[in-house]
Amino acid sequence: MAVPLSDLTSMPEPQQVYAADGTRLATYTWGEPDAPVVVIVHGFASNARDNWVLTGWVRELTRAGYRVLALDQRGHGLSEKPHDPDGYRIRTLVTDVETVMDTYLVDDAFYVGYSLGARVGWEVVRELPHRIGRAVLGGVPDGIPLARLDLDQVRGYIADGTPVADRTTQNYIALTERVPGNDLQALVALAEGMRASGMIDPDPSDAPTRPILFATGSKDAIIEGSRALASATPDGRFFEIPNRNHFNAPGSRDFKDAAVAFLAEA
């Protein structure tokens, strides 16, 4: 009997977790309570439902016997959306993941992240190797975070609708406006907060030591940077997602299959 689409895309009631600075985070769980845990963290301008439920990841991970723990990162989904860039430093985003794991009493887990969630995941795995057994980092670019976003043009667009001329910035705005409930000002603050250090992130000279599968679409402009990060990681490997770009890679069956197989190696 076919399963209704509504059953495959429905969301559990969010459970609220409060970050160290008091920011409210929406979290979700699926699967058996005593099953091995996979923490999944979405990308920029997305949320847990958009990145992981609608693309079939939660269904595949629970079928494989995992308990799935997800959060809407601050500034996204049903989580609180601060407008202060200081609330979006990479350390803060990493601590949010750690706080969620602590609140759910998860001592060890696997990690799956995409785009922004993969950037955060690089740091999570590096800083918490005793708690993250292995990780899948999809669409993770190297370089300064969100450096190609023209913040002045976005601010003009927010303030009075000034047309955005930069093509990459247009794409970011379209991505933001595609997902209901997104707050463009909060996402600008996120970009400012993550770019504030002006440093390369992730830093290939300080790579995590746990096993990591890097996966990036064959049509994604960042693929060579992702491949370089995999090469710099002591126990890293690279999977090229066939015929996918940065925005449609999460829906790839090949990507999901490769990730589930990699996690099963533990």
Side-chain angles (χ1 to χ4, degrees):
M1 180 182 297
V3 178
L5 181 61
S6 59
D7 289 351
L8 299 177
T9 59
S10 62
M11 292 289 289
E13 231 10 75
Q15 302 300 307
Q16 306 301 327
V17 169
Y18 287 89
D21 64 356
T23 300
R24 178 177 44 78
L25 305 172
T27 68
Y28 314 87
T29 58
W30 300 262
E32 296 299 323
D34 58 350
V37 176
V38 178
V39 176
I40 54 176
V41 183
H42 64 79
F44 178 81
S46 186
N47 55 48
R49 181 175 185 268
D50 183 67
N51 208 147
W52 304 120
V53 176
L54 297 183
T55 56
W57 278 86
V58 168
R59 181 181 69 234
E60 293 304 314
L61 289 168
T62 54
R63 281 179 176 174
Y66 297 106
R67 179 188 181 195
V68 178
L69 172 58
L71 72 153
D72 288 336
Q73 295 199 79
R74 59 176 60 213
H76 299 80
L78 298 180
S79 290
E80 205 166 344
K81 301 177 175 66
H83 288 179
D84 182 354
D86 285 341
Y88 294 99
R89 304 300 173 100
I90 187 67
R91 275 292 319 134
T92 302
L93 301 180
V94 170
T95 302
D96 286 349
V97 174
E98 187 176 10
T99 299
V100 170
M101 291 178 65
D102 289 344
T103 302
Y104 278 87
L105 305 180
V106 173
D107 293 325
D108 56 86
F110 297 135
Y111 184 101
V112 178
Y114 190 76
S115 194
L116 172 62
R119 280 192 182 278
V120 172
W122 171 280
E123 297 297 331
V124 169
V125 181
R126 195 178 62 80
E127 296 189 17
L128 304 175
H130 57 295
R131 300 185 68 176
I132 304 297
R134 56 181 49 215
V136 177
L137 303 183
V140 57
D142 59 357
I144 296 172
L146 299 168
R148 295 183 298 163
L149 181 62
D150 189 320
L151 294 178
D152 288 336
Q153 290 195 32
V154 179
R155 292 189 193 99
Y157 177 78
I158 293 172
D160 53 23
T162 301
V164 172
D166 178 68
R167 180 60 60 87
T168 299
T169 303
Q170 289 174 357
N171 290 338
Y172 274 114
I173 290 175
L175 178 66
T176 300
E177 294 181 338
R178 178 184 64 83
V179 180
N182 271 344
D183 179 336
L184 192 53
Q185 279 188 283
L187 296 177
V188 167
L190 186 153
E192 289 182 301
M194 292 195 69
R195 283 165 51 166
S197 71
M199 299 174 63
I200 298 296
D201 171 33
D203 181 0
S205 69
D206 190 17
T209 58
R210 304 300 285 172
I212 299 178
L213 175 68
F214 294 82
T216 300
S218 61
K219 298 181 178 180
D220 193 331
I222 66 168
I223 187 168
E224 293 310 319
S226 297
R227 201 188 303 273
L229 289 174
S231 297
T233 301
D235 200 354
R237 72 181 74 164
F238 187 79
F239 176 73
E240 184 173 319
I241 308 167
N243 301 311
R244 296 288 175 143
N245 59 40
H246 194 75
F247 303 107
N248 64 14
S252 165
R253 161 62 61 185
D254 294 316
F255 183 16
K256 290 192 282 284
D257 288 347
V260 171
F262 176 76
L263 297 180
E265 293 178 17

